Every structure is written in structure tokens, then in C-alpha cells.
Amino acid sequence: MHAFDVLGDPVRRRILELLAEGEHASGEIVAVVQREFGITQSAVSQHLKVLRDSGFATVRVDGPRRLYAMDAAPLAEVDAWLERFRVFWTHRLDALATEVARGKKKRGE
């Protein structure tokens, strides 16, 4: 599955946001996603499977718990695709930084 297909789903993006904070037990992930999206435990498990199968997440067993962690390697594909577009926002961010600096200078900061 292509990285953008994986990231195109809001539930999977939310799970990745959780995993970006650190390792989480599957039960913790299910609780958050069920509360925010109102989907079943089985549906969350399917999303976790997609993330594992596509390389975005790893899982390890710790006694009765399954602990999920993010694997950022597939994000390199996204980063490579975005590279050609960075030129469009780099100049704007530089201009914003200049304006912020001018504002601070006027205020004497």
C-alpha cells in the first residue's frame, strides 16, 4: 500500500499521532480512537494491521499486552515527494520571519 493511501485515512493518521508520542499499548490506542471516532475495537485493530503491514508501525508482545511503536521509515517516501513543493513555502516562511523581525525591531524587543 502506498504511503499516501495509508495516510489518507484520518483514523490511521490519529493512530500515528499517538505513536509519534511514544509506544502505546493496543488497549490505549483503541480507547482513544473509539472515543474520538466512535468505531469498534475490531475496526481499530484493522487500522493497526494496515499500519503494521505498510511498515508505519511495529508491535511487540509484553506479557498479555501488544505494544505499538511508530516506524518513521515510510515517511521518507512522503518527505521525498514533498521536497519538490518546499520551494513554494520556503520563500513565504522566510518573508514571514523578516516581517516578524521588523515588528520586533519596531517594538524595541
Side-chain angles (χ1 to χ4, degrees):
M1 183 176 278
H2 191 273
F4 286 105
D5 294 327
V6 174
L7 297 173
D9 186 278
V11 172
R12 290 193 288 268
R13 286 194 310 269
R14 180 62 178 121
I15 293 170
L16 287 175
E17 289 171 358
L18 292 170
L19 297 180
E21 298 169 358
E23 192 174 63
H24 286 280
S26 58
E28 296 168 344
I29 296 168
V30 168
V32 170
V33 173
Q34 280 184 321
R35 183 177 64 248
E36 293 180 8
F37 292 90
I39 63 175
T40 66
Q41 181 274 331
S42 178
V44 177
S45 293
Q46 285 299 105
H47 286 292
L48 287 168
K49 181 179 183 335
V50 169
L51 291 171
R52 282 192 323 270
D53 292 349
S54 62
F56 278 92
T58 60
V59 64
R60 70 180 178 88
V61 177
D62 180 32
R65 302 178 345 154
R66 288 182 175 268
L67 299 171
Y68 284 83
M70 184 173 170
D71 185 343
L75 291 175
E77 178 184 349
V78 174
D79 186 54
W81 186 83
L82 285 172
E83 182 61 35
R84 70 184 98 178
F85 301 101
R86 283 197 177 92
V87 68
F88 296 112
W89 66 74
T90 301
H91 298 297
R92 290 185 177 122
L93 290 174
D94 290 344
L96 175 61
T98 300
E99 291 303 315
V100 169
R102 282 183 187 154
K104 285 182 178 180
K105 190 173 182 180
K106 282 183 183 179
R107 290 188 306 270
E109 292 179 23

